[in-house]
Amino acid sequence: MADAPSDTPALPRPELDLDADREALADFYSYGDLLTDDETATLRRLRGYLARDVAPVVEGAWERAEFPSELVKGFAALDLAGLPYGLGEGRTEPARRVFLGFMHAEIARIDPSVNSFFGVHTGLAMGSIHAGGTEEQRQRWLPSMARMETIGAFGLTEPHGGSDVAGGMETTATRDGDEWVLEGDKRWIGNATIADLIVIWARDGETNDVRGFVVPSDTPGMTVTKIEGKTALRIVQNADIALRGVRVPDDHRLSGGSGTFADAGGVLQRTRANASWGAVGTQMAAYELALSYAQQREQFGRPIAGFQLMQELLVQMLGNVTASLGMAVRNAQLLDAGGGSDAHSALAKEYCASRMRETVAWARQLVGGNGVVLANGVARYFADAEALYSFEGTREMNTLIVGKRITGHSAFVR
């Protein structure tokens, strides 16, 4: 492609402030002040890494639908993956959910796909082993996962099962002596093509209980195929998994806790809360990019930031970010205090994701035609928001969880 003529006027290009000590433009009510000095320092270290190593590569990786493998070593060096479980250098206690939420928001602000990769590994995969595994199983797998020497995935959803997968799970687990034989198919499994371990959920043919199994990715009979042609979260390596006579030893069955899908309930509650923070970070980026563009772009002889309708869009975006952040913070505080419920996390995810969908659309609208160009940033968040809106519980399912809690009546179809 020929270079543009040298006399072509430079076009505004919206940019995120990548300074680790930056003013948090989108944290209008200063919720970040709730963090301790040590938490703020860790967050600053994360920002530095995201600015130096992640931000420069995500646009190209998103366009190619590839996962930059070098990010694994980079995140490992930060020693953050074990935070939810008190694992890592000098740690004995789990990190606060409030801090973990800000961490997810910071990653999603740079790229929602990268946050999804990190969340699947640290939340769904490690969380399943922590909640459902015995102490021996935790010690066997979690330390190497905390060091990110071993990458995890979470195999729950199926071609015919999304919202109803727990009740309608088709993947089966059949006991055969000291082994289990897994048969079935999984779909939309994030990290699957790069994972070393995949937690596969399957129905016990004898008891009808849904159980979790830790399956090494090189186990014979398990085939992982990347899902191509996605228009959202393109960096995330979602895959179809075929399980054909996959044999795993009984000591790979998650047999701590209840030993059933009930163990996954608490994991999903926490990861649903994390998803609300991902929606917050995505909104922050969209708002900041739109604000940057509005201050640069001139029409009718002055920046469009000085026009009333543009300011109205920016204020609506900021209001959405602020309300979503407030809800995510309060939900995290409830979890930190040992309270909260599925309904609290479901409402946070539904609300934050719905506001996110509005915010990214308004950002795209403000940037105009330039908003559909990948290099201008907004387009990536606009596209990724559609996937974030649906995963970790659709709007409809989260609404019904909250509806049941507040009315006492279940409206789920059975």
Side-chain angles (χ1 to χ4, degrees), residues 119-374:
V120 167
H121 172 68
T122 63
L124 289 171
M126 292 182 69
S128 293
I129 295 171
H130 186 267
T134 63
E135 183 59 30
E136 185 278 328
Q137 289 173 326
R138 293 175 183 173
Q139 292 300 321
R140 192 192 322 172
W141 287 309
L142 289 181
S144 66
M145 296 178 81
R147 295 189 297 269
M148 299 189 77
E149 296 166 354
T150 303
I151 299 300
F154 179 83
L156 176 63
T157 56
E158 299 181 342
H160 301 133
S163 298
D164 69 340
V165 69
M169 184 167 293
E170 296 175 352
T171 301
T172 60
T174 304
R175 186 73 179 257
D176 183 16
D178 292 333
E179 293 183 321
W180 292 81
V181 182
L182 307 182
E183 293 279 352
D185 296 276
K186 298 295 182 179
R187 184 165 174 80
W188 293 116
I189 309 308
N191 292 1
T193 66
I194 61 174
D196 302 293
L197 299 174
I198 304 176
V199 179
I200 296 291
W201 296 91
R203 186 174 302 283
D204 184 338
E206 183 175 343
T207 66
N208 207 40
D209 289 324
V210 173
R211 305 187 185 281
F213 299 84
V214 179
V215 184
S217 59
D218 58 357
T219 302
M222 183 165 69
T223 303
V224 178
T225 306
K226 178 184 173 182
I227 296 174
E228 301 285 0
K230 294 190 304 173
T231 61
L233 296 182
R234 287 172 56 81
I235 293 176
V236 178
Q237 301 301 290
N238 294 97
D240 289 311
I241 298 178
L243 303 154
R244 301 292 183 266
V246 174
R247 289 182 170 270
V248 293
D250 185 54
D251 67 359
H252 280 53
R253 172 177 58 90
L254 295 177
S255 51
S258 70
T260 69
F261 189 73
D263 295 327
V267 176
L268 292 171
Q269 178 189 345
R270 290 186 290 273
T271 56
R272 190 170 289 129
N274 290 344
S276 68
W277 284 95
V280 168
T282 302
Q283 289 185 75
M284 286 178 162
Y287 164 73
E288 292 174 23
L289 287 168
L291 178 60
S292 170
Y293 185 84
Q295 291 169 331
Q296 299 176 60
R297 175 68 165 170
E298 292 190 1
Q299 292 289 279
F300 305 101
R302 60 193 178 104
I304 63 173
F307 289 97
Q308 292 179 358
L309 291 179
M310 297 297 100
Q311 290 190 2
E312 193 270 344
L313 283 177
L314 290 167
V315 171
Q316 290 295 323
M317 282 185 262
L318 181 59
N320 276 355
V321 175
T322 303
S324 298
L325 180 55
M327 184 173 286
V329 164
R330 183 56 186 151
N331 188 53
Q333 289 175 327
L334 291 173
L335 290 170
D336 280 332
S341 66
D342 287 344
H344 287 99
S345 292
L347 182 59
K349 197 279 174 174
E350 186 281 325
Y351 183 85
C352 295
S354 294
R355 300 292 75 75
M356 170 193 64
R357 210 181 194 194
E358 293 177 344
T359 301
V360 298
W362 285 333
R364 212 285 318 149
Q365 177 181 336
L366 187 148
V367 181
N370 290 326
V372 301
V373 177
L374 183 59

